[in-house]
């Protein structure tokens, strides 16, 4: 594996290797192999972050590396320098880069021109690191994803939902996207994925029925703040509440990639009832991302 740019570009075998390694690293956290010793990694973030930044900074250090954080305001990118020029400079000075930004093409271009391992830490197109951590959580909580049904509720055309769709297509588990028509995955995208493992439902209760996992994300993603009132109004019926939990399997888990806005995409009661899973899910960002880093340099 040269880069981690998307779930789309990973094979099922590579996904499984990452998850298996992440579990081993989690179990032996303080005996972590120092595979990044004497390496310097750059975190280039033009979007705000809590979990992604902390987990990558801690993970790189636990693997023996040094890390520098650079926001968009810190770099000439913010003044219009082409991505490929920044990439060619950074590639001569650091050993790897973790990028959190808006356009997927910027991460792809950086990887192409830098010549160093590049990780997509979130773009508007996909959030691969999140889904790998989520798969680790499902494996540890439910024993794996084979034969399982995951229900994603809310904005079914966001970066997290798209990454889930690719994961279902690669790994063969059932994914139900519950979303109003205005927020369902684009037809062109579903045609590109070509999978029988994903279906779209407008009725959230029908979508949740018999599911092993109920999953949600914020309704107003970064860059969508001007649409906030309209999004909340349209997506209001897709909140994970007691009724949706009751519709799922008896031992279903509830997941949220955080930050969580109680009273919007999830009720405060459901959030607290399932906090053990949700915050383990957040912790698993560290272990999954360490596995990604190890795979990139091994």
């Amino acid at each position: 594996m040269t880069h981690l740019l998307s779930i789309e570009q990973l094979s099922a075998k590579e996904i499984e290797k990452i998850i298996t390694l992440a579990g081993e690293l989690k179990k032996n956290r303080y005996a972590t192999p120092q595979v990044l010793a004497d390496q310097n990694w750059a975190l280039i973030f033009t979007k705000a972050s809590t979990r992604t930044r902390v987990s990558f900074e801690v993970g790189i250090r636990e693997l023996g590396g040094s890390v520098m954080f650079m926001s968009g305001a810190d770099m000439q990118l913010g003044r219009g320098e082409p991505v490929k020029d920044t990439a060619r400079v950074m590639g001569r000075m650091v050993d790897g880069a973790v990028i959190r930004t808006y356009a997927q093409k910027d991460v792809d271009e950086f990887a192409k021109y830098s010549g160093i391992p590049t990780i997509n830490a979130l773009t508007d197109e996909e959030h691969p690191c999140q889904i790998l951590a989520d798969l680790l959580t499902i494996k540890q909580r439910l024993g794996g994803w084979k034969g399982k049904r995951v229900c994603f509720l809310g904005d079914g055309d966001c970066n997290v939902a798209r990454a889930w769709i690719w994961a279902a297509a690669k790994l063969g588990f059932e994914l139900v996207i519950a979303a109003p028509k205005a927020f369902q995955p684009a037809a062109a995208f579903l045609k590109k994925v070509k999978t029988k493992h994903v279906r779209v439902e407008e009725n959230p209760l029908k979508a949740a029925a018999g599911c092993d996992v109920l999953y949600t994300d914020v309704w107003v993603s970064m860059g969508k703040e001007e649409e906030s009132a309209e999004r909340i109004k349209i997506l209001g019926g897709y909140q994970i509440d007691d009724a949706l939990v009751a519709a799922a399997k008896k031992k279903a888990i509830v997941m949220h990639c955080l930050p969580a806005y109680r009273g919007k995409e999830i009720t405060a009661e459901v959030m607290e009832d399932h906090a053990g899973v949700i915050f383990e899910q957040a912790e698993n960002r560290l272990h999954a991302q360490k596995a990604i880093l190890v795979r990139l340099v091994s």
Side-chain angles (χ1 to χ4, degrees), residues 143-190:
W145 46 80
K146 185 177 180 180
K148 299 297 188 294
R149 183 185 299 169
V150 177
C151 179
F152 182 98
L153 295 115
D155 181 358
D157 198 34
C158 71
N159 51 6
V160 174
R162 283 192 289 271
W164 267 115
I165 289 169
W166 280 116
K170 301 282 184 176
L171 298 173
F173 60 84
E174 185 179 354
L175 175 67
V176 186
I177 301 290
K181 288 183 179 179
F183 291 94
Q184 292 178 0
F189 174 72
L190 291 175

Coordinates of all heavy atoms in Angstrom, one line a residue, residues 143-190:
G143 N -18.2 -9.2 16.4 CA -17.5 -10.4 15.9 C -17.1 -10.3 14.4 O -16.5 -11.2 13.9
G144 N -17.6 -9.2 13.8 CA -17.3 -9.0 12.3 C -18.5 -8.5 11.6 O -19.5 -8.2 12.2
W145 N -18.3 -8.3 10.3 CA -19.4 -7.7 9.5 C -20.1 -8.7 8.6 O -21.1 -8.4 8.0 CB -18.8 -6.5 8.7 CG -17.5 -6.9 8.0 CD1 -17.3 -7.6 6.9 CD2 -16.2 -6.6 8.5 NE1 -16.0 -7.8 6.6 CE2 -15.3 -7.2 7.6 CE3 -15.7 -5.9 9.6 CZ2 -13.9 -7.1 7.7 CZ3 -14.3 -5.8 9.7 CH2 -13.4 -6.4 8.8
K146 N -19.5 -9.9 8.5 CA -20.2 -10.9 7.6 C -21.6 -11.2 8.1 O -21.8 -11.5 9.3 CB -19.3 -12.2 7.6 CG -19.8 -13.2 6.6 CD -18.9 -14.4 6.6 CE -19.4 -15.5 5.6 NZ -18.6 -16.7 5.6
G147 N -22.5 -11.1 7.2 CA -23.9 -11.4 7.6 C -24.6 -10.3 8.3 O -25.8 -10.4 8.8
K148 N -23.9 -9.1 8.6 CA -24.5 -8.1 9.4 C -25.2 -7.0 8.4 O -24.9 -6.9 7.3 CB -23.4 -7.4 10.2 CG -22.7 -8.3 11.2 CD -23.7 -8.8 12.2 CE -23.0 -9.6 13.4 NZ -22.4 -10.8 12.9
R149 N -26.1 -6.3 9.0 CA -26.8 -5.2 8.3 C -26.6 -3.9 9.0 O -26.9 -3.8 10.2 CB -28.3 -5.5 8.2 CG -29.1 -4.5 7.5 CD -30.6 -4.7 7.5 NE -30.9 -6.0 6.9 CZ -32.1 -6.6 7.1 NH1 -33.1 -6.0 7.7 NH2 -32.3 -7.8 6.5
V150 N -26.0 -2.9 8.3 CA -25.7 -1.6 8.8 C -26.7 -0.6 8.3 O -27.0 -0.6 7.1 CB -24.3 -1.2 8.5 CG1 -24.0 0.2 9.0 CG2 -23.3 -2.2 9.1
C151 N -27.3 0.2 9.1 CA -28.2 1.3 8.6 C -27.6 2.6 8.9 O -27.3 3.0 10.1 CB -29.6 1.1 9.4 SG -30.8 2.4 8.9
F152 N -27.4 3.4 7.9 CA -26.9 4.7 8.0 C -28.0 5.7 7.8 O -28.7 5.7 6.8 CB -25.8 5.0 6.9 CG -25.2 6.4 7.0 CD1 -24.0 6.6 7.6 CD2 -25.9 7.5 6.4 CE1 -23.5 7.9 7.7 CE2 -25.4 8.8 6.5 CZ -24.1 9.0 7.1
L153 N -28.3 6.6 8.8 CA -29.4 7.5 8.8 C -29.0 8.9 8.7 O -28.0 9.3 9.3 CB -30.2 7.3 10.0 CG -30.9 5.9 10.2 CD1 -30.3 5.2 11.4 CD2 -32.4 6.0 10.3
G154 N -29.7 9.7 7.8 CA -29.4 11.1 7.7 C -29.0 11.5 6.3 O -29.7 11.2 5.3
D155 N -27.9 12.2 6.1 CA -27.5 12.7 4.8 C -26.7 11.5 4.1 O -25.6 11.3 4.4 CB -26.5 13.9 5.0 CG -26.0 14.4 3.7 OD1 -26.4 13.9 2.6 OD2 -25.3 15.4 3.7
G156 N -27.4 10.8 3.3 CA -26.9 9.7 2.6 C -26.0 10.0 1.5 O -25.4 9.0 0.8
D157 N -25.7 11.2 1.2 CA -24.8 11.6 0.1 C -23.6 12.4 0.7 O -22.9 13.1 0.0 CB -25.5 12.5 -0.9 CG -24.8 12.6 -2.2 OD1 -24.2 11.6 -2.6 OD2 -24.8 13.6 -2.9
C158 N -23.3 12.2 2.0 CA -22.1 12.8 2.6 C -20.9 11.9 2.4 O -21.0 10.8 2.0 CB -22.4 13.2 4.1 SG -22.4 11.7 5.1
N159 N -19.7 12.5 2.8 CA -18.5 11.7 2.7 C -18.5 10.4 3.5 O -18.0 9.4 3.0 CB -17.3 12.6 3.1 CG -17.4 13.3 4.4 OD1 -18.4 13.0 5.2 ND2 -16.5 14.1 4.7
V160 N -19.0 10.4 4.7 CA -19.0 9.2 5.5 C -19.9 8.1 4.9 O -19.6 7.0 4.8 CB -19.5 9.5 6.9 CG1 -19.6 8.2 7.8 CG2 -18.4 10.4 7.6
A161 N -21.1 8.6 4.4 CA -22.0 7.6 3.8 C -21.4 7.0 2.5 O -21.5 5.8 2.3 CB -23.3 8.3 3.4
R162 N -20.7 7.8 1.7 CA -20.1 7.3 0.5 C -19.0 6.3 0.8 O -18.9 5.3 0.1 CB -19.6 8.5 -0.4 CG -20.6 9.2 -1.1 CD -20.1 10.1 -2.2 NE -19.4 11.3 -1.6 CZ -20.0 12.4 -1.3 NH1 -21.3 12.6 -1.6 NH2 -19.4 13.4 -0.7
A163 N -18.2 6.6 1.9 CA -17.2 5.6 2.3 C -17.8 4.3 2.8 O -17.3 3.2 2.5 CB -16.3 6.2 3.3
W164 N -19.0 4.4 3.5 CA -19.7 3.2 3.9 C -20.2 2.4 2.7 O -20.1 1.2 2.7 CB -20.9 3.6 4.8 CG -20.5 3.6 6.3 CD1 -20.5 4.6 7.1 CD2 -20.2 2.5 7.0 NE1 -20.2 4.2 8.4 CE2 -19.9 2.9 8.4 CE3 -20.0 1.1 6.8 CZ2 -19.6 2.1 9.4 CZ3 -19.6 0.2 7.8 CH2 -19.4 0.7 9.1
I165 N -20.6 3.1 1.7 CA -21.1 2.4 0.5 C -20.0 1.6 -0.2 O -20.1 0.4 -0.6 CB -21.8 3.4 -0.5 CG1 -23.1 3.9 0.1 CG2 -22.0 2.8 -1.9 CD1 -23.7 5.1 -0.7
W166 N -18.8 2.2 -0.3 CA -17.7 1.5 -0.8 C -17.3 0.3 0.0 O -16.9 -0.8 -0.5 CB -16.5 2.5 -1.0 CG -16.6 3.3 -2.2 CD1 -16.6 4.7 -2.3 CD2 -16.5 2.9 -3.6 NE1 -16.7 5.1 -3.6 CE2 -16.6 4.1 -4.4 CE3 -16.5 1.7 -4.2 CZ2 -16.6 4.0 -5.8 CZ3 -16.5 1.6 -5.6 CH2 -16.6 2.8 -6.4
A167 N -17.3 0.5 1.4 CA -17.0 -0.6 2.3 C -17.9 -1.8 2.1 O -17.5 -2.9 2.1 CB -17.0 -0.1 3.7
A168 N -19.2 -1.5 2.0 CA -20.2 -2.6 1.8 C -19.9 -3.3 0.5 O -20.0 -4.5 0.4 CB -21.6 -2.0 1.8
A169 N -19.6 -2.5 -0.6 CA -19.4 -3.1 -1.9 C -18.1 -4.0 -1.8 O -18.1 -5.1 -2.4 CB -19.2 -2.0 -2.9
K170 N -17.1 -3.6 -1.1 CA -15.9 -4.3 -1.0 C -16.0 -5.6 -0.1 O -15.5 -6.7 -0.5 CB -14.7 -3.5 -0.5 CG -14.4 -2.2 -1.3 CD -13.6 -2.5 -2.5 CE -13.3 -1.1 -3.2 NZ -12.4 -1.4 -4.4
L171 N -16.7 -5.4 1.0 CA -16.7 -6.5 2.0 C -17.9 -7.4 2.0 O -18.0 -8.4 2.6 CB -16.5 -5.9 3.4 CG -15.2 -5.1 3.6 CD1 -15.2 -4.4 5.0 CD2 -14.0 -6.1 3.5
G172 N -19.0 -6.9 1.3 CA -20.1 -7.8 1.1 C -21.2 -7.8 2.2 O -22.0 -8.7 2.2
F173 N -21.1 -6.9 3.2 CA -22.2 -6.8 4.2 C -23.3 -5.9 3.6 O -23.1 -5.2 2.6 CB -21.7 -6.3 5.5 CG -21.1 -4.9 5.4 CD1 -21.9 -3.8 5.5 CD2 -19.7 -4.7 5.3 CE1 -21.3 -2.5 5.5 CE2 -19.1 -3.4 5.3 CZ -20.0 -2.3 5.4
E174 N -24.5 -6.0 4.3 CA -25.6 -5.3 3.8 C -25.6 -3.9 4.4 O -25.5 -3.7 5.6 CB -26.9 -6.0 4.2 CG -28.2 -5.3 3.6 CD -29.5 -6.1 3.9 OE1 -29.4 -7.2 4.6 OE2 -30.5 -5.6 3.6
L175 N -25.8 -2.9 3.6 CA -25.9 -1.5 4.0 C -27.2 -0.9 3.5 O -27.6 -1.0 2.4 CB -24.7 -0.7 3.5 CG -24.8 0.8 3.7 CD1 -24.6 1.1 5.2 CD2 -23.7 1.6 2.9
V176 N -27.9 -0.3 4.5 CA -29.2 0.4 4.1 C -29.0 1.9 4.4 O -28.6 2.3 5.5 CB -30.4 -0.1 5.0 CG1 -31.7 0.6 4.5 CG2 -30.5 -1.6 5.0
I177 N -29.2 2.7 3.4 CA -29.1 4.2 3.5 C -30.5 4.7 3.7 O -31.3 4.6 2.9 CB -28.4 4.8 2.3 CG1 -27.0 4.3 2.1 CG2 -28.4 6.3 2.5 CD1 -26.0 4.7 3.1
A178 N -30.8 5.3 4.9 CA -32.1 5.9 5.2 C -32.0 7.4 5.1 O -31.3 8.0 5.9 CB -32.5 5.5 6.6
A179 N -32.6 7.9 4.0 CA -32.5 9.3 3.8 C -33.7 9.9 3.0 O -34.2 9.1 2.2 CB -31.2 9.6 3.0
P180 N -34.0 11.1 3.2 CA -35.1 11.7 2.3 C -34.5 11.8 0.9 O -33.3 11.8 0.7 CB -35.3 13.1 3.0 CG -34.1 13.4 3.7 CD -33.5 12.1 4.2
K181 N -35.4 12.0 0.0 CA -35.0 11.9 -1.4 C -33.9 13.0 -1.7 O -33.0 12.7 -2.5 CB -36.2 12.2 -2.3 CG -37.1 10.9 -2.4 CD -38.3 11.2 -3.4 CE -39.2 9.9 -3.4 NZ -40.3 10.1 -4.3
A182 N -34.0 14.1 -1.1 CA -33.0 15.2 -1.4 C -31.6 14.9 -0.9 O -30.6 15.5 -1.3 CB -33.5 16.5 -0.8
F183 N -31.5 13.9 0.0 CA -30.2 13.6 0.6 C -29.8 12.1 0.3 O -29.0 11.6 1.1 CB -30.3 13.8 2.1 CG -30.3 15.3 2.4 CD1 -31.6 15.9 2.6 CD2 -29.2 16.1 2.4 CE1 -31.7 17.3 2.9 CE2 -29.3 17.4 2.7 CZ -30.5 18.1 2.9
Q184 N -30.4 11.5 -0.7 CA -30.0 10.1 -1.0 C -28.8 10.1 -1.9 O -28.5 11.1 -2.6 CB -31.2 9.4 -1.7 CG -32.4 9.2 -0.8 CD -33.5 8.5 -1.5 OE1 -33.5 8.2 -2.7 NE2 -34.6 8.3 -0.7
P185 N -28.0 9.1 -1.9 CA -26.8 9.0 -2.8 C -27.1 9.3 -4.2 O -28.2 8.8 -4.7 CB -26.3 7.6 -2.6 CG -26.9 7.1 -1.3 CD -28.2 7.8 -1.2
A186 N -26.3 10.0 -4.9 CA -26.5 10.3 -6.3 C -26.6 9.1 -7.1 O -25.8 8.1 -6.9 CB -25.4 11.2 -6.8
A187 N -27.5 9.1 -8.1 CA -27.7 7.9 -9.0 C -26.4 7.5 -9.7 O -26.0 6.4 -9.9 CB -28.8 8.1 -9.9
A188 N -25.6 8.6 -10.1 CA -24.4 8.4 -10.9 C -23.4 7.7 -10.0 O -22.6 6.8 -10.4 CB -23.8 9.7 -11.4
F189 N -23.4 8.0 -8.7 CA -22.4 7.4 -7.8 C -22.8 5.9 -7.5 O -21.9 5.1 -7.6 CB -22.4 8.2 -6.4 CG -21.6 7.5 -5.4 CD1 -20.2 7.5 -5.4 CD2 -22.2 6.8 -4.3 CE1 -19.4 6.9 -4.5 CE2 -21.4 6.2 -3.3 CZ -20.0 6.2 -3.4
L190 N -24.0 5.6 -7.3 CA -24.4 4.2 -7.1 C -24.2 3.4 -8.3 O -23.8 2.2 -8.2 CB -25.9 4.2 -6.7 CG -26.3 4.8 -5.4 CD1 -27.8 4.7 -5.2 CD2 -25.6 4.0 -4.2

